[in-house]
C-alpha cells in the first residue's frame, strides 16, 4: 500500500537479512580483541571496525546485525553505538573519502577555499559522492593538526598545508591509488588493536606512493 | 629560559621511536628507578613535583594516583586519554608519533605505583599514524620484558597494555564519556562525584580506574627518572614544570613548543615567529573551549594556570591560536558554536539544545539577519548552559561565546546594525556559502 508522503505512520522496518560476512581471520581477530577486556561488550567498537572492513567500507543493517549476534548484544544497542561515532559510515562512501577540516585554525587559514576548489574540481557539493563513485567530500570537525592547516584526512592518511592551488595534486594522485580507502582505514584500525601486528607489517603505515604537495607529511 | 625541553629532550633524535635508541638516551631509567622505590614513594614523588593534569582541567595528578585503593583486591585499570580533540591542540599527536616509549614508560610507572593490572591507551580514530607508533612501542616493550608478567624480573609485577581506537567523537575526550566508550557504549558522560563514586574507586567495569592525559604520563616518566624535586624547580609557585603549547593560526612558525610554565604569552608568540598578515588582534590561549583575549589583554597574561584564570581565560590543553586583524571574531565564534553543536553528545538538554540555539543565533547574525537584543539572547542562552550540563562540554560551548562578547562586543553590534562584517571584504574566516544546509553535515 502506498503511503501518503506526509504520513507519520509507516510499516515497521523488516528485520535485516541474516548475513555472515566475517571471514575466519576476522573472527579470530574479534576473539583476540575481545580477550583484552573483562566484558565482551567492550569489543563493540572494534567489532564495528571489522564489520566496516568486511562490508566494503560501510555498515548496512546486516553488518550491524552480525556484530550484535557475534557479541550477544541487541541490534538496537549496536546501532546506537554505530550512529554515535562519526567515523562509522552508515551509507556507502566513494572509493576515497575526502574529509577537509574546517574548524577554527583551518577556517582562518583558508579551509573553505580548499573545500570550494574541491567542489569545483569534482563537480559535487560537500556531502555528496561523484557519479563514478571515486570521491566523497565532507567537512570534518577538528582533525587536530592545526599547525599544518589546512588538513584533510583521506582514509588513514592526513594531507597537510593544503591550498586551493595544490589540492588538485592530491586528487590526481588519489585517482590512481588503491590505498587510502574506507576499507583500508578500517583494516588499519583493526590491526592496531592486535598485539604484535607492527612486526608483521600490518597496516599501510608508510606513505608509499603519495606525496604531500606542501612537503613531507608528518 | 622560556623554552624548556623536558619531555622534548630527545624529540629530534633520529629513530627515537625505536626502543634501542630510546634506551640509549636514558629510556626506561625512570621505570627502573621507580621500581626500586615503594609504591607510595612514587606517588610522593609526583606530589613533590606539583604535576597537574595536562589534559585541560589542571587537576593535581598525585591526588588521582593516591586515590586508588592500595591493594590488589580488584583489577585496577590505568587509562591514557589520547582522544585529543580540542581545536587548536596537537601536542599529543606529536608525543604519540615521536616519543611513544615516553608514554608507554609513564603508564607502566603508573601501573606500578597504583597497583595497576591492565592499561588501555584510548586513541582517537583519526590518529592512525600516531597509533602505529604506539602499537610498535608496545610490541617492542613486551619483547624486552617491560610489559607482561614479572616485569624487570620482579615477582608479581604484571601489567598488560592495550590499544583502543576511538571512532570520531570529541565528547570521548571527557573522562567519564571515555570510560563509556571503552566499555563499548555510546560516548555519553556519566554522573559525577558526589552523585556517583569517583573513577579512582569505581571507574570502568566497576573497578578503580586512573585516567590521565598523554602529556601527564610523559611528565610522570620524566619525574620518575629525575625526581619530583627536580621537576618542581621549574615553573611558578602553583604551576610547576613545563607545558607543551600547540601554536597555530596566523603565526610564522606554528609548531609545538615546550615552555616553562609562567612564560609571558607575548614571549611565546615571539618564539613562534610573530603574527603574519597583519597585527595581533586576539589570542585563544588554551584551545577552543577557553575565552578569547584581545591583544591588549594578552600583554598581561603569563602561560600558567593562575595567570590565565586571573585574566579571564584558561590555560586549558594548551591549544594556542593567534589571530591577526583580518579575523572576524563573530564568524569565528559561529564556527566555534558549530563545532560544539556537532560534538554535543545529546545526553543532557542544556547542552544538546543550547549549543544548537547558540549556533542558530550566531548564524542569523552572520547571515545579515541579526536582530537587536541578539547579544543579550546569546548571553542568556550561555548562562543557562554554563554549570548546568552533565559534563564540561556544555561549559566549554558557553565560555568562548561569553568571552568573545565581553572582549569584542562592538563587533557583534556592528554585524547586527550593519548586516556585514566590520573587517570588510577580506575578512577571515569567510562566511561559508551554504548550498544546502542538509548537505553540509557529514552524511551518516
Amino acid at each position: 500500500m502506498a503511503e501518503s508522503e506526509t504520513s507519520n505512520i509507516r510499516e515497521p522496518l523488516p528485520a535485516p537479512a541474516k548475513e555472515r560476512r566475517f571471514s575466519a581471520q576476522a573472527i579470530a581477530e574479534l576473539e583476540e580483541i575481545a580477550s583484552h577486556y573483562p566484558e565482551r561488550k567492550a569489543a563493540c567498537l572494534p567489532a564495528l571496525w571489522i564489520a566496516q572492513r568486511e562490508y566494503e567500507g560501510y555498515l548496512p543493517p546486516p553488518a550491524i546485525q552480525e556484530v550484535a549476534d557475534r557479541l550477544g548484544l541487541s541490534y538496537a544497542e549496536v546501532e546506537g553505538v554505530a550512529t554515535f561515532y562519526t567515523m562509522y559510515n552508515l551509507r556507502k562512501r566513494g572509493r576515497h573519502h575526502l574529509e577537509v577540516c574546517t574548524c577554527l585554525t583551518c577556517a582562518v587559514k583558508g579551509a573553505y577555499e580548499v573545500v570550494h576548489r574541491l567542489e569545483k574540481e569534482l563537480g559535487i557539493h560537500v556531502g555528496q559522492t561523484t557519479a563514478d563513485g571515486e570521491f566523497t567530500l565532507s567537512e570534518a570537525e577538528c582533525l587536530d593538526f592545526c599547525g599544518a592547516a589546512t588538513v584533510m584526512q583521506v582514509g588513514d592518511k592526513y594531507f597537510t598545508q593544503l591550498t586551493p592551488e595544490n589540492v588538485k595534486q592530491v586528487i590526481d594522485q588519489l585517482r590512481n591509488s588503491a590505498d587510502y580507502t574506507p576499507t583500508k582505514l578500517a583494516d588499519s584500525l583493526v590491526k592496531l588493536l592486535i598485539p604484535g601486528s607492527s612486526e608483521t607489517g600490518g597496516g599501510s603505515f608508510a606513505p608509499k606512493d603519495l606525496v604531500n604537495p606542501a612537503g613531507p607529511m608528518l | 629560559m622560556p623554552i624548556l625541553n623536558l619531555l622534548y629532550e630527545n624529540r629530534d633524535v633520529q629513530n627515537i621511536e625505536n626502543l634501542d635508541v630510546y634506551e640509549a638516551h636514558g629510556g626506561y631509567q625512570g621505570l627502573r628507578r621507580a621500581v626500586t622505590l615503594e609504591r607510595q614513594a612514587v606517588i610522593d614523588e609526583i606530589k613533590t613535583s606539583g604535576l597537574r593534569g595536562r589534559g585541560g582541567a589542571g587537576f593535581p595528578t598525585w591526588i588521582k594516583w593516591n586515590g586508588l585503593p592500595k591493594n590488589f583486591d580488584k583489577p585496577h585499570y590505568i587509562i591514557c586519554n589520547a582522544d585529543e580533540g580540542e581545536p587548536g591542540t596537537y601536542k599529543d599527536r606529536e608525543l604519540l608519533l615521536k616519543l611513544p616509549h615516553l608514554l608507554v614508560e609513564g603508564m607502566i610507572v603508573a601501573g606500578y605505583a597504583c597497583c595497576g593490572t591492565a592499561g588501555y591507551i584510548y586513541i582517537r580514530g583519526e590518529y592512525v599514524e600516531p597509533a602505529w607508533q604506539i602499537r610498535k612501542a608496545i610490541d617492542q616493550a613486551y619483547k624486552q620484558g617491560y610489559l607482561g608478567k614479572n616485569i624487570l624480573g620482579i615477582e608479581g609485577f604484571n601489567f598488560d597494555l592495550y590499544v583502543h581506537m576511538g571512532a570520531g567523537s570529541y565528547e570521548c575526550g571527557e573522562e567519564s564519556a571515555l570510560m563509556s566508550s571503552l566499555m563499548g557504549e555510546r560516548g555519553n558522560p556519566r554522573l559525577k562525584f558526589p552523585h556517583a563514586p569517583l573513577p579512582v574507586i569505581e571507574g570502568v567495569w566497576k573497578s578503580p580506574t586512573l585516567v590521565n592525559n598523554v602529556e601527564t604520563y610523559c611528565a610522570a616518566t620524566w619525574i620518575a627518572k629525575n625526581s619530583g624535586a627536580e621537576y618542581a624547580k621549574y615553573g611558578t609557585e602553583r604551576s610547576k614544570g613545563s607545558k607543551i603549547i600547540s601554536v597555530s593560526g596566523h603565526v610564522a612558525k606554528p609548531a609545538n613548543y615546550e615552555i616553562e610554565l609562567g612564560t609571558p604569552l607575548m614571549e611565546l608568540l615571539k618564539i613562534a615567529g610573530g603574527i603574519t598578515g597583519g597585527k595581533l588582534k586576539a589570542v585563544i590561549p588554551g584551545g577552543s573551549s577557553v575565552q578569547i583575549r584581545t591583544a591588549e589583554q594578552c600583554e598581561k597574561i603569563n602561560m600558567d594556570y593562575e595567570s590565565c584564570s586571573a585574566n579571564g581565560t584558561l590555560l586549558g590543553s594548551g591549544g594556542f591560536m593567534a589571530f591577526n586583524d583580518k579575523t572576524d571574531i563573530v564568524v569565528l565564534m559561529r564556527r566555534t558554536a558549530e563545532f560544539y553543536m556537532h560534538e554535543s553528545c545529546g545526553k543532557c538538554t542544556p547542552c544538546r539544545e543550547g549549543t544548537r540555539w547558540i549556533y542558530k543565533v550566531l548564524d542569523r547574525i552572520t547571515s545579515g539577519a541579526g536582530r537587536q537584543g541578539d547579544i543579550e539572547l546569546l548571553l542568556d542562552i550561555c548562562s543557562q548552559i554554563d554549570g548546568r550540563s552533565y559534563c564540561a562540554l556544555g561549559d566549554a560551548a558557553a565560555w568562548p561565546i561569553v568571552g568573545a562578547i565581553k572582549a569584542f562586543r562592538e563587533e557583534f553590534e556592528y554585524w547586527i546594525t550593519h548586516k556585514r562584517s566590520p573587517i570588510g571584504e577580506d575578512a577571515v574566516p569567510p562566511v561559508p556559502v551554504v548550498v544546502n544546509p542538509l548537505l553540509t553535515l557529514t552524511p551518516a
Side-chain angles (χ1 to χ4, degrees):
Chain A
M1 188 180 67
E3 278 179 36
S4 142
E5 273 188 29
T6 51
S7 165
N8 285 331
I9 305 161
R10 64 171 185 202
E11 308 269 318
L13 292 171
K18 288 262 177 191
E19 215 182 313
R20 289 288 178 267
R21 281 214 214 162
F22 278 29
S23 60
Q25 192 210 346
I27 292 168
E29 284 169 342
L30 178 61
E31 293 310 316
E32 162 64 34
I33 292 166
S35 74
H36 299 172
Y37 309 98
E39 274 179 13
R40 206 172 160 77
K41 185 183 173 188
C44 188
L45 270 75
L48 283 166
W49 283 122
I50 298 176
Q52 188 146 305
R53 180 186 67 192
E54 305 293 314
Y55 284 78
E56 292 156 19
Y58 76 117
L59 297 170
I64 291 172
Q65 185 68 56
E66 180 163 3
V67 169
D69 292 345
R70 292 198 185 276
L71 294 177
L73 302 170
S74 71
Y75 179 88
E77 215 167 344
V78 179
E79 193 187 36
V81 174
T83 51
F84 184 86
Y85 300 92
T86 52
M87 288 176 78
Y88 294 128
N89 303 330
L90 298 185
R91 282 183 246 161
K92 201 162 170 56
R93 297 284 191 267
R95 204 164 64 87
H96 300 294
H97 187 192
L98 314 175
E99 297 181 85
V100 186
C101 176
T102 60
C103 213
L104 299 189
T105 302
C106 287
V108 299
K109 297 280 257 184
Y112 289 116
E113 282 92 346
V114 173
V115 170
H116 293 323
R117 177 62 66 94
L118 282 170
E119 285 180 328
K120 225 172 107 186
E121 209 63 64
L122 303 172
I124 52 172
H125 290 303
V126 171
Q128 295 178 327
T129 303
T130 53
D132 58 1
E134 277 288 292
F135 296 102
T136 299
L137 180 62
S138 296
E139 270 184 56
E141 294 301 343
C142 193
L143 294 173
D144 275 290
F145 199 6
C146 315
T150 297
V151 182
M152 175 168 78
Q153 185 187 12
V154 186
D156 49 6
K157 195 99 258 159
Y158 275 20
F159 291 91
T160 57
Q161 288 164 285
L162 295 177
T163 62
E165 289 72 42
N166 69 19
V167 75
K168 188 168 185 298
Q169 231 179 306
V170 178
I171 300 297
D172 290 343
Q173 294 182 71
L174 283 172
R175 269 188 215 282
N176 303 316
S177 172
D179 287 331
Y180 319 103
T181 61
T183 327
K184 284 268 163 68
L185 169 65
D187 185 45
S188 261
L189 283 154
V190 175
K191 295 264 167 47
L192 274 168
L193 308 179
I194 311 283
S197 60
S198 69
E199 286 152 27
T200 52
S204 51
F205 175 54
K208 293 177 214 93
D209 50 346
L210 274 170
V211 281
N212 195 43
M217 283 186 272
L218 273 175
Chain B
M1 279 294 284
I3 290 280
L4 178 66
N5 286 332
L6 302 182
L7 311 190
Y8 276 174
E9 193 186 348
N10 298 317
R11 174 183 57 165
D12 300 322
V13 174
Q14 201 78 35
N15 296 326
I16 189 72
E17 67 273 13
N18 284 328
L19 184 62
D20 44 346
V21 181
Y22 180 71
E23 279 181 321
H25 287 81
Y28 287 97
Q29 291 306 320
L31 175 65
R32 286 178 192 281
R33 180 169 165 266
V35 295
T36 63
L37 306 170
E38 290 289 317
R39 295 175 198 278
Q40 188 59 43
V42 178
I43 297 172
D44 289 340
E45 287 270 349
I46 302 288
K47 184 180 180 182
T48 315
S49 75
L51 176 65
R52 293 168 67 171
R54 299 293 191 232
F59 187 77
T61 305
W62 79 273
I63 297 182
K64 275 193 192 176
W65 287 38
N66 200 37
L68 277 89
K70 296 170 200 306
N71 55 46
F72 287 93
D73 293 354
K74 272 182 173 183
H76 291 190
Y77 296 106
I78 309 296
I79 296 176
C80 172
N81 183 347
D83 192 63
E84 184 171 54
E86 183 81 4
T89 315
Y90 52 102
K91 63 184 176 67
D92 296 346
R93 180 187 165 82
E94 189 167 23
L95 285 171
L96 297 171
L97 204 53
K98 292 189 180 156
L99 296 161
H101 280 290
L102 202 61
L103 168 63
V104 172
E105 186 180 351
M107 290 190 71
I108 306 170
V109 169
Y112 173 75
C114 305
C115 309
T117 41
Y120 296 94
I121 306 182
Y122 188 111
I123 308 177
R124 72 177 288 183
E126 289 88 344
Y127 277 8
V128 179
E129 294 162 75
W132 273 113
Q133 296 297 357
I134 287 291
R135 176 78 268 155
K136 206 167 87 185
I138 293 176
D139 290 347
Q140 290 173 343
Y142 264 108
K143 261 202 169 152
Q144 205 65 23
Y146 291 123
L147 283 167
K149 299 249 175 293
N150 302 327
I151 295 166
L152 297 173
I154 297 165
E155 192 70 30
F157 180 20
N158 307 329
F159 190 67
D160 284 307
L161 195 51
Y162 304 106
V163 175
H164 185 96
M165 297 302 290
S169 165
Y170 171 70
E171 176 57 15
C172 289
E174 198 273 338
E175 187 176 73
S176 65
L178 184 145
M179 293 193 286
S180 301
S181 183
L182 185 63
M183 290 191 283
E185 296 166 8
R186 291 167 72 91
N188 288 334
R190 291 153 179 255
L191 271 181
K192 304 235 165 58
F193 189 79
H195 309 292
L198 287 165
V200 291
I201 306 298
E202 236 179 55
V204 284
W205 302 295
K206 298 220 178 285
S207 281
T209 304
L210 177 73
V211 187
N212 279 138
N213 180 258
V214 176
E215 198 186 340
T216 315
Y217 284 120
C218 292
T221 305
W222 195 94
I223 292 161
K225 186 178 160 200
N226 301 286
S227 91
E230 198 62 30
Y231 192 79
K233 280 184 187 165
Y234 304 106
T236 68
E237 199 188 333
R238 290 183 59 203
S239 303
K240 298 289 187 200
S242 68
K243 173 89 184 83
I244 302 173
I245 307 285
S246 313
V247 183
S248 67
H250 296 129
V251 292
K253 292 187 284 180
N256 285 313
Y257 295 97
E258 187 173 8
I259 56 162
E260 184 171 4
L261 281 164
T263 301
L265 189 152
M266 296 310 268
E267 201 165 332
L268 173 62
L269 197 58
K270 210 188 294 168
I271 293 167
I275 289 288
T276 55
K279 281 195 309 212
L280 175 68
K281 177 174 186 176
V283 168
I284 302 178
S288 69
S289 304
V290 313
Q291 295 86 343
I292 196 165
R293 299 286 85 182
T294 63
E296 198 182 316
Q297 290 166 325
C298 287
E299 303 276 353
K300 284 183 243 141
I301 300 177
N302 295 332
M303 298 301 285
D304 61 63
Y305 295 101
E306 286 70 38
S307 172
C308 280
S309 51
N311 285 289
T313 183
L314 293 163
L315 186 61
S317 56
F320 182 104
M321 289 174 271
F323 303 103
N324 66 21
D325 51 10
K326 299 275 190 298
T327 311
D328 186 324
I329 301 296
V330 186
V331 181
L332 192 69
M333 285 304 129
R334 177 199 165 280
R335 187 64 188 84
T336 311
E338 190 183 352
F339 174 79
Y340 288 103
M341 174 179 75
H342 185 265
E343 298 298 343
S344 172
C345 80
K347 175 161 176 160
C348 68
T349 313
C351 173
R352 182 186 63 242
E353 303 297 322
T355 49
R356 268 148 189 79
W357 280 111
I358 294 175
Y359 173 74
K360 280 183 183 175
V361 175
L362 282 165
D363 191 50
R364 174 161 86 192
I365 296 173
T366 55
S367 61
R371 302 172 193 166
Q372 294 301 326
D374 270 357
I375 296 177
E376 287 68 31
L377 182 60
L378 278 173
L379 290 172
D380 184 50
I381 300 168
C382 290
S383 75
Q384 293 184 51
I385 306 174
D386 192 0
R388 287 172 164 79
S389 54
Y390 247 86
C391 74
L393 194 145
D395 308 341
W399 292 338
I401 309 299
V402 176
I405 291 176
K406 276 190 186 148
F408 294 97
R409 194 181 177 106
E410 66 287 353
E411 293 206 6
F412 287 82
E413 283 164 353
Y414 191 97
W415 257 110
I416 291 170
T417 321
H418 297 87
K419 318 286 184 208
R420 59 186 156 83
S421 171
I423 312 299
E425 289 290 296
D426 55 349
V428 289
V431 185
V433 189
V434 179
V435 184
N436 176 349
L438 291 175
L439 285 180
T440 57
L441 294 175
T442 308

